[in-house]
Amino acid sequence: HSFPTRRSSDLGLVLTGGASPGVARYGRRLLQAATGLPVQVLPPGETQGPQTGPDYHGYLAVALGGPGASPASAATLEALQRQGAHGLAVTDGADRPLLLAARSVLDLAAGPERAPLATKTVTAQLLALALLARAFAHEADEAAAAGALAGQIAAVLADEPADAVPAELSMARGAICLAGGALRVAAQDTALKITETTSVLTAAYTPAEFQSGWVPALSPGFTTFGYSEDQDDPGLPMLAGEVTRRGASWFEVSPHPDAEVRLPAGLAAWALPIVAVVRGQQLARAAALLSGRDPDQSPGLVTFG
């Protein structure tokens, strides 16, 4: 899409929907860094009338569908287009409402889901957003990283986490996933998948949010996952100590050699969360099987988008 000639202050992007609650915010982080433009996130279904809403001429509106129909995202995209935005649907071919609403379509081509948990759709959407960001700010090394990602995910799928981690999760009273920055989407999706597959109530926070008021809720029977990147996080050992002091278990999810749940080392900052999402899916599946549940038949699912 070619934007009309306008001042940079009149340009921007809007994101809505997604197969998981953190997908749009992951996209906002990447697109802001790549474009230097303002990027808004609107909840699916939030619309503003063409007479009262802001002027979105010069904006790109990106609507992220779920694994099925996404009428709420379609309604938001239609409203944004009425207000001047160019609409782009990032979805699969089965999402008729969103396909009909959008002026442009990026087809994920992920194929049908085996289970209603959007496992393939969420990783495909994250990769699509990363590629969209690269289109705005192309870098050769990032293109090479994108080409290698499929093999890195395949390697993670072939390497299941140690049995002790899903075993403890399957018996937990509750679970907490802690991550900041780009990894927050992995914590949020893992929390959702654990709740959906095992019925263990799981919440996701940034470490700062958790330390500001939620730590006292921990007690024996809680399982906590702390996410970090390649570089050492000086606050993580202190937080781990506080968690274990209260009797809860702590598992680090990172590329560090001594992490209980290992992530590949050396990945680009945008790629690590995608692989971490797959690790979270593995943990949820293994815990569900150990607790006698079918991870492909989970009741009470919530659709985002």
Side-chain angles (χ1 to χ4, degrees), residues 23-137:
V23 171
R25 287 179 173 82
Y26 168 87
R28 178 173 63 184
R29 184 182 183 89
L30 293 188
L31 289 165
Q32 280 180 333
T35 67
L37 298 174
V39 182
Q40 298 174 246
V41 174
L42 291 180
E46 180 172 314
T47 60
Q48 301 182 62
Q51 302 304 318
T52 59
D55 178 8
Y56 281 109
H57 286 87
Y59 274 65
L60 176 63
V62 182
L64 302 151
S70 307
S73 289
T76 298
L77 187 63
E78 287 178 331
L80 291 168
Q81 289 178 151
R82 286 195 302 270
Q83 292 158 215
H86 182 92
L88 171 66
V90 179
T91 185
D92 57 39
D95 194 342
R96 295 295 297 168
L98 199 51
L99 291 173
L100 293 172
R103 294 176 186 164
S104 300
V105 176
L106 175 57
D107 191 345
L108 296 174
E113 297 276 5
R114 282 184 53 189
L117 298 177
T119 52
K120 291 195 296 183
T121 305
V122 66
T123 50
Q125 285 183 350
L126 294 173
L127 179 57
L129 289 168
L131 293 175
L132 182 61
R134 291 308 101 208
F136 283 105

Side-chain angles (χ1 to χ4, degrees), residues 98-239:
L98 199 51
L99 291 173
L100 293 172
R103 294 176 186 164
S104 300
V105 176
L106 175 57
D107 191 345
L108 296 174
E113 297 276 5
R114 282 184 53 189
L117 298 177
T119 52
K120 291 195 296 183
T121 305
V122 66
T123 50
Q125 285 183 350
L126 294 173
L127 179 57
L129 289 168
L131 293 175
L132 182 61
R134 291 308 101 208
F136 283 105
H138 179 75
E139 298 176 20
D141 57 339
E142 297 289 359
L149 187 60
Q152 291 157 342
I153 289 179
V156 167
L157 289 171
D159 175 33
E160 293 285 343
D163 292 342
V165 182
E168 183 151 348
L169 178 58
S170 69
M171 298 182 291
R173 294 171 48 213
I176 304 293
C177 297
L178 302 173
L183 277 171
R184 189 173 185 184
V185 66
Q188 289 177 301
D189 191 67
T190 299
L192 181 65
K193 294 297 189 293
I194 291 172
T195 301
E196 288 173 339
T197 57
T198 68
S199 294
V200 174
L201 185 60
T202 308
Y205 302 94
T206 67
E209 287 172 340
F210 192 65
Q211 289 175 300
S212 68
W214 300 103
V215 170
L218 290 177
S219 62
F222 276 82
T223 298
T224 310
F225 296 98
Y227 289 74
S228 67
E229 300 177 350
D230 280 309
Q231 65 270 24
D232 290 331
D233 183 343
L236 211 60
M238 184 180 300
L239 181 55

